[in-house]
Every structure is written in C-alpha cells, then in structure tokens.
Amino acid sequence: MRNKFLKVFLLSSLSLVVSLTFASCGAPAEQKEQQGQHSDVVTDTDVYLLKNAVTDYKIVTPVDLSADITFAKDELKLFFNEATDINLPIINDKDLSHNAENCYISLGDTNLYKTSGLNLDLSKLKRDGYYIRTKDKTIYIIGKTDIGALYGVYHFLSTEFNFETYTPNTHVIDKNVKNLKLKNYNVMENPDIDMRTRKGYFNPVDYSSTDNVMFAYRLRSLDKLDSYLLPIHEGDPYSSDHNEVHNSFYFLPKGKDTDPQSNINLHPKFYSASGQLCFTCQGDEDELNAMASQAGDHVIASLKRYKDNKNYSIVQFGIIDMTPMCSCEACTKCASEHNDSKAASIIIFLYKMGRYVTDWMNKPENAEYKRDLRYMFLAYADSLRPPFALNADGSVTIPTELKPYNDVTVMPYCCFDAFDESKAYDDDDNTAYRDYVNIWGSAYEGCFAWSYGTFFNDYFCFYDAYSFYADYYKALTQKGYSLVY
C-alpha cells in the first residue's frame, strides 16, 4: 500500500513540475528570446496536422542517418502511433526541397531545412540545444547536434500529446487523438546545465526493451563521466589498469619509484603519513617540481595512447577516498594562508603539473597530441572548503597563485556530500555548503558538481528531496556549473 501511495505521490509531484515548466508558453517571443536559454512559444494554426484520424504528414530524415536521428525518427513514430494509432511514413530527404504545401516533420539537418530559408543560428546553442520551427506546413526540429534534434522530438511529443517519462516502464501520453491542429512553433531550448550524467538506474539492464534502452534519452541524462576523463594508468601506461576518479596514486604510485639496489623510496616527500599525497612535498620546492613533472609524464603517456580520442579533455586528479589530507607543517601553513583550505595546495600543484604538460604539447614535434585540457581535482571531504571566502558583496577575491590561467585550466569537482537534502536548500543548516556552491562557482568557470541524490541517514523513511534539488539545481545554474553527477 505504501509503495502504491509513493508512486502516485511522485507522479503527481513530477507532473506538477512539468506543468509549471510549460505554464509560461504564452509569453511574447521577444521577451523569451532575450532570456537567452528558453523560448517556448506555440500557437494553433487553421491547418490540421491530424483530422478525423487521417494525416498527410511524413517524417523526413537525412539520407545519411546518425544513431541519434535514427532514435529520433523511431521515437517519433512510436509515440505518434501510441497517441493516434497512425503510423507516420518515414522518407529521406533525397531530392526534396521546401515548398508551402509540404506536410512534413523534418528531423535534423535535412535538405528541406537547408532550402527552407529559416537559417537558424545554431551557434547560439549548447551541444544539446535545439530549435523547433514551423514554416508553412512543415515542422522543423534541428539541434546543435543530432542528440539535440532527438531531445526536440521529446519536446514536440510533450507539447502535442502531453508525453512525459517517469521510469523505464512508466510514461504518460494522450490516447485516441483524432484531431490535432498544426501548431506554429517558435521554440529554442538551451540546457542550463551542459551535462547531466547517466548513472545507475539510467543504465539499461534489458536491451530487448525499447523503454529500458531509451529511458536515459527520454530524461535527457546521457552523459557518462568516463567519456571525458583521460584514463591514467599505473606504471606501464600500455598494459596496466587505469583509474579516473580516486587516482592520485596512479599518477604517482607509491612503491614503484624506488632505488632497485636499496629498495628505498626515492621521493618520500611525495607521500603523506595520512595516506594521501603531500601536495607541498613538505615544503621542498625542488621535490614539488619533480612531483609535478612525474605526474605530468603520466598525462603525456595517456595523451600518446589516446591521441585519437579527443573527447578525453579532462585530467581528473582525484584524492584517495575516505582519507584525511596531509597535515604536515608545510600543508598546514599553506591551508592557514588560504582560508584554512586544504584544497589550496592541490590547486597550486595542478598548475605546476598543467604547466609542464602544456609546455610539452606546445613543442612543434608534439603537435599531434595537443588538445585543450582541464585539470580537475576532487573538492571533497576535508578538501571541499574553498581557499577564499565570500566578500560582503557576494564576490570572491582570488589570490594570485590560485587564479585561473589562460593556457592552464584548473577546476574543482565539488563533492557536496554534507548537504541535508531532507531540509530546504536555503535552510540554516545548509548555509556553509550553500556558500561553498557560490564560492567555487564564482571563482572557476564551469565547475562540476558531484551530488549524492538523497538523505542517507534513514533509508526506510521517505524524505522530500525533490524540494531540495529544485533550488539546488537553480543555484548551480546561476553559478555556471557545467555538469551534475
């Protein structure tokens, strides 16, 4: 009985969120466009898309189908049929051009679109952004990428048939639709947060089920973190295991850097008694430079190995999980000079490592390996505290040694593990971590946020985490966070 109540409650709550999202569709196009992210102006025309259960409309795709446009056409056909009991024909755009009498739904960069005269500015869109436009009797759905066009199909289905997905086997859609007027679409959708990661429940377990395979697509949560993180291998980079998250000992494997004669560690100052690296090398600048270059050599080895995969654009330098940071005299001094933050020494170290790798990439003989890299550290546990505080006006003052550089980008992956999601985001008990969201986001562009989903203190009681996350996501958006995990 309790599970049934929860399902009804959650569906009702999510439906309310969806209803609120589309409540402002009647705003003038100019006003919505000026907001720069979302324009959703849709009005009825006197033409029918569907009349008396009959339609002249067809789906048009490019001749060369990408995987995402294939999904887009299949999903559009599937759910149009579920709502109307009509199977829309699918044709390709060969020899087609726009004219006023076309009755088409065009997906992606088709010849129809190219001859439509719309000339939409795709450069304004982020990767997953899309436009939906009506020209004469044709509806155009086109994205910055083809995944954007697929997301545009879900937007179209939501507008036409109130389609929404809640679980892999739970969605809602209007049924027995017999009449439907053609709508004049003036839609631009640009995600507030660039990347929404696919984790756990979003991954299909039954590939024979379309609903299971497409669940993450329908919820626009496709990004996989390991698609972006450069694998770092321990030891021999061509044969050993790799790690992308808690991987600091993969960069600098303890016990591997020893004198073969005496078996004595050649760089003991790299390592802390706590079980982490010592990011100050106990105050020894020469050793710190050696540590940065050795770690940088691991990055260079991975750049060589994965030179053809340009998606690997982030070097994640992750501290060891559930382990205190170093508390040596030099690390303690560095923290005391930087708002009592143990993240400061990590940032300074990563700039050194990044400088070493960038100088290597900039050599003419290494041009084939060059790419834009971001060096990311886990702001986690006792390294979550930022190395500067909020000023009275809400700004931050960044010390010179921690400021972003033009050619070496360091950024935090903020693991907000101590929020109390059972309370409101703006509750007094969440003040410190709310400030951390603002400080990190103000200091470094495009921060990542590692979120923990729900209130862990009592697994067997329902807590309204939805209320917390609505305001949390809004705060991340306002501070320019680019990924939520």
Side-chain angles (χ1 to χ4, degrees):
M1 185 69 182
R2 183 170 176 270
N3 288 339
K4 185 175 181 180
F5 167 77
L6 285 176
K7 287 181 181 178
V8 172
F9 174 80
L10 291 174
L11 288 174
S12 301
S13 300
L14 288 168
S15 297
L16 176 60
V17 172
V18 172
S19 299
L20 291 174
T21 301
F22 290 99
S24 60
C25 288
E30 310 79 57
Q31 175 186 345
K32 298 293 284 186
E33 287 283 353
Q34 287 172 2
Q35 294 177 8
Q37 296 295 323
H38 317 283
S39 169
D40 194 350
V41 181
V42 183
T43 56
D44 280 341
T45 70
D46 294 330
V47 178
Y48 277 86
L49 177 66
L50 173 70
K51 190 170 185 178
N52 297 327
V54 176
T55 185
D56 293 325
Y57 274 79
K58 299 176 182 177
I59 300 170
V60 178
T61 69
V63 172
D64 296 322
L65 282 174
S66 68
D68 294 324
I69 293 296
T70 300
F71 286 140
K73 71 174 178 63
D74 290 346
E75 291 281 86
L76 178 54
K77 183 181 179 73
L78 174 70
F79 289 112
F80 197 98
N81 175 262
E82 185 174 337
T84 67
D85 203 33
I86 291 174
N87 278 308
L88 289 177
I90 300 173
I91 61 175
N92 66 53
D93 64 349
K94 186 178 181 182
D95 301 325
L96 295 182
S97 59
H98 179 90
N99 69 60
E101 297 306 311
N102 288 343
C103 291
Y104 294 138
I105 303 173
S106 170
L107 305 181
D109 191 19
T110 60
N111 288 329
L112 282 179
Y113 169 73
K114 292 171 183 174
T115 58
S116 68
L118 285 173
N119 298 320
L120 299 171
D121 186 0
L122 299 179
S123 68
K124 290 174 62 176
L125 300 177
K126 299 178 185 178
R127 180 199 58 185
D128 294 347
Y130 54 85
Y131 291 98
I132 308 176
R133 290 286 192 271
T134 304
K135 179 74 178 289
D136 298 318
K137 296 181 181 179
T138 295
I139 299 168
Y140 291 94
I141 304 175
I142 184 168
K144 177 71 169 283
T145 62
D146 286 343
I147 193 66
L150 171 57
Y151 291 168
V153 164
Y154 295 132
H155 191 135
F156 172 80
L157 291 168
S158 178
T159 303
E160 298 290 349
F161 306 117
N162 296 303
F163 170 73
E164 289 295 339
T165 293
Y166 300 105
T167 75
N169 57 5
T170 307
H171 66 264
V172 295
I173 192 169
D174 295 343
K175 300 291 181 68
N176 300 313
V177 178
K178 305 298 182 186
N179 294 285
L180 201 63
K181 284 194 171 181
L182 174 67
K183 292 178 174 59
N184 185 26
Y185 280 92
N186 182 11
V187 169
M188 180 185 76
E189 179 60 33
N190 232 357
D192 291 304
I193 298 174
D194 291 5
M195 292 177 277
R196 290 84 61 200
T197 55
R198 180 176 187 162
K199 175 71 175 172
Y201 188 55
F202 290 97
N203 290 300
V205 294
D206 177 9
Y207 283 85
S208 66
S209 164
T210 298
D211 289 335
N212 208 308
V213 171
M214 298 306 297
F215 179 52
Y217 288 85
R218 294 169 187 171
L219 288 187
R220 285 73 147 178
S221 295
L222 276 179
D223 287 292
K224 293 185 177 180
L225 192 59
D226 57 10
S227 299
Y228 304 99
L229 303 184
L230 182 69
I232 300 298
H233 294 257
E234 184 180 30
D236 176 3
Y238 293 97
S239 61
S240 62
D241 290 337
H242 72 270
N243 194 338
E244 298 107 354
V245 185
H246 298 291
N247 61 0
S248 55
F249 285 148
Y250 281 69
F251 287 89
L252 297 156
K254 192 173 184 179
K256 296 287 183 73
D257 190 19
T258 57
D259 184 325
Q261 301 298 322
S262 64
N263 203 35
I264 294 174
N265 193 325
L266 296 176
H267 296 283
K269 291 182 180 179
F270 288 5
Y271 306 98
S272 164
S274 71
Q276 298 279 9
L277 292 171
C278 175
F279 289 97
T280 65
C281 286
Q282 300 171 48
D284 188 326
E285 189 68 19
D286 289 338
E287 280 295 279
L288 186 59
N289 289 331
M291 180 174 160
S293 62
Q294 285 196 27
D297 285 337
H298 274 264
V299 176
I300 289 167
S302 288
L303 289 174
K304 290 179 177 179
R305 179 173 185 175
Y306 300 104
K307 70 175 183 177
D308 295 326
N309 189 336
K310 300 301 183 183
N311 286 331
Y312 290 144
S313 58
I314 298 171
V315 178
Q316 158 85 350
F317 200 104
I319 60 175
I320 302 305
D321 199 11
M322 306 298 291
T323 305
M325 295 293 291
C326 181
S327 58
C328 74
E329 183 178 344
C331 286
T332 301
K333 181 176 183 292
C334 181
S336 69
E337 293 170 348
H338 297 92
N339 195 40
D340 292 325
S341 169
K342 296 184 178 181
S345 59
I346 305 176
I347 297 170
I348 293 168
F349 167 77
L350 285 182
Y351 277 127
K352 285 181 175 290
M353 186 184 79
R355 174 83 274 143
Y356 177 86
V357 175
T358 297
D359 288 346
W360 178 86
M361 288 193 299
N362 285 338
K363 293 178 180 179
E365 63 268 28
N366 298 323
E368 63 181 315
Y369 306 110
K370 189 171 183 179
R371 68 184 72 184
D372 290 328
L373 287 176
R374 289 178 285 174
Y375 298 88
M376 187 168 68
F377 65 97
L378 287 182
Y380 173 50
D382 61 351
S383 66
L384 176 57
R385 181 180 175 86
F388 24 77
L390 278 176
N391 297 324
D393 63 357
S395 65
V396 296
T397 302
I398 308 173
T400 300
E401 65 274 17
L402 304 180
K403 283 186 176 178
Y405 293 91
N406 289 331
D407 61 345
V408 179
T409 301
V410 173
M411 59 181 283
Y413 194 166
C414 303
C415 300
F416 297 119
D417 59 340
F419 271 121
D420 187 342
E421 290 93 345
S422 72
K423 298 179 180 178
Y425 179 75
D426 61 0
D427 188 274
D428 288 345
D429 286 349
N430 285 323
T431 297
Y433 293 93
R434 203 165 55 242
D435 286 347
Y436 290 177
V437 169
N438 294 334
I439 293 169
W440 284 120
S442 297
Y444 297 99
E445 183 178 354
C447 296
F448 284 12
W450 185 312
S451 306
Y452 287 80
T454 190
F455 185 60
F456 286 115
N457 291 12
D458 190 341
Y459 287 104
F460 295 102
C461 290
F462 175 75
Y463 291 92
D464 177 20
Y466 290 95
S467 296
F468 171 87
Y469 272 92
D471 290 333
Y472 171 68
Y473 290 141
K474 182 178 179 180
L476 295 180
T477 296
Q478 291 171 341
K479 288 300 177 181
Y481 284 73
S482 60
L483 175 141
V484 172
Y485 177 74

